[in-house]
Amino acid sequence: MEQQLDELIGFLSSPRPDVRQLAATYIVDFSEPRSEYFNQLLNNIDKLVKPLLIICHEIPVAASKAMNTLVNLSTDATVCRQFNDEDIISMIVRMITSSSCYVADPASMLLSNLTKNADICKLLTTLTVGEVSGICSSQMAMDQLTDVFVKGMDKKYNKNASYNFLSSVFADVTNYSFGRSYFLERTTYDGKLPITKIMVFSEYPEVIRRGGVDSTMKNVCFAKDKHKEILDPNETNMLPYILLPLCGPEEFEMEDMESMPEEIQLLGEDKKREYDPKLRSILLEAINLLCTTYYGREVLRAKNVYYVIREMHKVETDDTCIELSVRAVQLIQGEESSNTKDEQPENDVDAFEEI
């Protein structure tokens, strides 16, 4: 069988479209990570990536099989390094941002696997591609991906794609300072902060989309020197979108509620709290990160964030969320000393990297 598989790999580069497309439909079954032939494909990865990407532009059935093969193979970290090439990443970005590409969604999934690699994250934040009509006037890949994530939700841009997996790409990129800088600095083509475009999805029904958004919001909070902008209602105004998923139907005393962000006031008895404990913990981590600066703690006190956490804590059953809630309350309600008031924000939070 190994010899036949080697021949099948060779057929992917056939000059005949029908031969390579047929090969693509067969090879996907061997690419499952649990397949006994998975390692054989890994050993031939240099013969697979470009031919499969080419087939992704051909008839829908073959394109889907080829992209699924690439998604399966890219779960291996060594394979991801084979994609660290400007032309390859550009090709994937163009598939994602095409309004007619049949495999735009699995291409987003592929990119979300690839951005587990730091070098690819770095490449993506500096990559320029051709301007795409209907998306934005920027040639920066990250600008296009951010805008298609927003404009393309619910298959509004491409009938074949919802782009939810791009939120995982954003979460991966913001694991690094250069990625956080991208989302917290205004773009040159529309003057907006990219983080403000995606944070509005923190309560979106689809868990992959909102989960990646929650992680991105948490990650940008590592930038201590940006806490003022993050919390400024006239700048980023991210706090309400961190708190909204943590709020339930509870009613607050009027005097306590008046100081809270307007967006979380009078939510009503039908308000649902985030049901996924992992996502609740991510949002609580973001609050803890904002507590690493005196300015952050002061704003959270002024906005009565304590009461939101208190009500959540009353019904919380997840141990991690309980621990993070207690830690946040201790930081928000704790007394400040002259040393903590005079602290100078650094570029990034090192102490919380392992939260």
Side-chain angles (χ1 to χ4, degrees):
M1 187 63 199
E2 291 183 3
Q3 182 179 350
Q4 289 92 324
L5 185 54
D6 284 338
E7 292 176 357
L8 190 61
I9 292 170
F11 289 147
L12 292 172
S13 300
S14 170
R16 289 178 52 184
D18 59 329
V19 172
R20 59 177 181 264
Q21 290 163 11
L22 187 61
T25 63
Y26 281 110
I27 204 164
V28 64
D29 293 331
F30 298 102
S31 69
E32 292 284 345
R34 289 171 291 185
S35 167
E36 61 181 303
Y37 301 103
F38 184 72
N39 286 333
Q40 186 178 347
L41 292 184
L42 295 186
N43 293 333
N44 288 277
I45 193 64
D46 57 323
K47 302 174 185 177
L48 290 168
V49 173
K50 290 187 177 180
L52 287 169
L53 284 172
I54 291 171
I55 298 171
C56 286
H57 292 81
E58 299 181 354
I59 61 173
V61 173
S64 179
K65 297 292 186 180
M67 182 56 74
N68 287 343
T69 300
L70 289 171
V71 170
N72 289 339
L73 293 173
S74 63
T75 59
D76 185 275
T78 60
V79 170
C80 291
R81 291 197 287 268
Q82 294 289 326
F83 288 82
N84 187 24
D85 176 89
E86 186 172 320
D87 291 336
I88 290 176
I89 299 300
S90 295
M91 187 182 298
I92 295 170
V93 170
R94 283 194 290 269
M95 282 191 280
I96 293 171
T97 58
S98 167
S99 61
S100 59
C101 182
Y102 185 77
V103 293
D105 251 3
S108 300
M109 191 183 303
L110 171 61
L111 189 60
S112 75
N113 285 346
L114 298 179
T115 49
K116 301 301 182 288
N117 180 285
D119 292 331
I120 292 177
C121 285
K122 181 66 174 178
L123 171 60
L124 194 59
T125 57
T126 58
L127 182 65
T128 58
V129 291
E131 186 177 318
V132 180
S133 176
I135 296 295
C136 66
S137 59
S138 172
Q139 294 187 1
M140 294 297 297
M142 281 300 298
D143 291 340
Q144 293 183 11
L145 294 174
T146 303
D147 281 10
V148 80
F149 176 76
V150 176
K151 296 179 180 180
M153 69 171 184
D154 300 329
K155 301 184 178 180
K156 293 178 180 178
Y157 173 73
N158 181 333
K159 66 180 181 179
N160 302 304
S162 297
Y163 300 103
N164 294 323
F165 275 96
L166 287 181
S167 66
S168 299
V169 173
F170 304 151
D172 289 337
V173 168
T174 51
N175 279 323
Y176 307 98
S177 59
F178 53 80
R180 295 191 279 271
S181 295
Y182 168 76
F183 277 96
L184 293 174
E185 294 176 2
R186 295 188 181 276
T187 62
T188 57
Y189 73 99
D190 66 1
K192 295 180 180 179
L193 294 161
I195 190 65
T196 64
K197 298 179 181 181
I198 71 169
M199 67 187 186
V200 296
F201 295 105
S202 66
E203 288 198 300
Y204 191 76
E206 214 289 321
V207 67
I208 294 174
R209 177 173 282 248
R210 74 174 187 274
V213 166
D214 289 350
S215 293
T216 304
M217 290 195 298
K218 181 203 78 172
N219 288 345
V220 298
C221 291
F222 279 105
K224 293 176 67 172
D225 61 326
K226 293 290 186 178
H227 280 189
K228 288 187 177 181
E229 291 88 341
I230 288 172
L231 294 168
D232 187 343
N234 299 314
E235 191 72 8
T236 308
N237 193 32
M238 199 169 76
L239 183 60
Y241 299 97
I242 295 174
L243 295 178
L244 272 168
L246 301 178
C247 292
E250 301 86 7
E251 294 184 4
F252 297 98
E253 296 292 334
M254 186 60 68
E255 61 180 337
D256 295 332
M257 185 179 63
E258 286 178 345
S259 296
M260 295 178 180
E262 291 182 4
E263 294 87 346
I264 70 169
Q265 297 180 20
L266 303 172
L267 294 177
E269 60 184 15
D270 60 343
K271 175 65 174 71
K272 303 294 184 183
R273 185 174 282 109
E274 170 60 61
Y275 72 84
D276 190 320
K278 175 61 177 175
L279 301 192
R280 293 197 304 275
S281 70
I282 288 171
L283 295 164
L284 287 166
E285 287 171 6
I287 292 174
N288 274 272
L289 286 165
L290 291 172
C291 287
T292 58
T293 58
Y294 174 65
Y295 179 86
R297 295 191 295 274
E298 283 289 275
V299 171
L300 298 188
R301 291 182 189 118
K303 296 296 182 181
N304 280 343
V305 171
Y306 161 73
Y307 294 104
V308 174
I309 299 176
R310 182 191 67 184
E311 295 306 310
M312 176 187 173
H313 186 267
K314 289 178 181 179
V315 297
E316 185 56 70
T317 58
D318 181 78
D319 289 342
T320 300
C321 291
I322 291 171
E323 180 183 346
L324 289 165
S325 297
V326 171
R327 187 192 304 179
V329 167
Q330 291 173 340
L331 291 167
I332 294 170
Q333 298 296 93
E335 292 186 7
E336 301 284 356
S337 67
S338 57
N339 289 334
T340 60
K341 289 181 180 181
D342 293 337
E343 65 189 8
Q344 295 296 317
E346 300 170 1
N347 289 338
D348 275 318
V349 182
D350 296 326
F352 281 74
E353 290 287 358
E354 299 300 325
I355 284 183

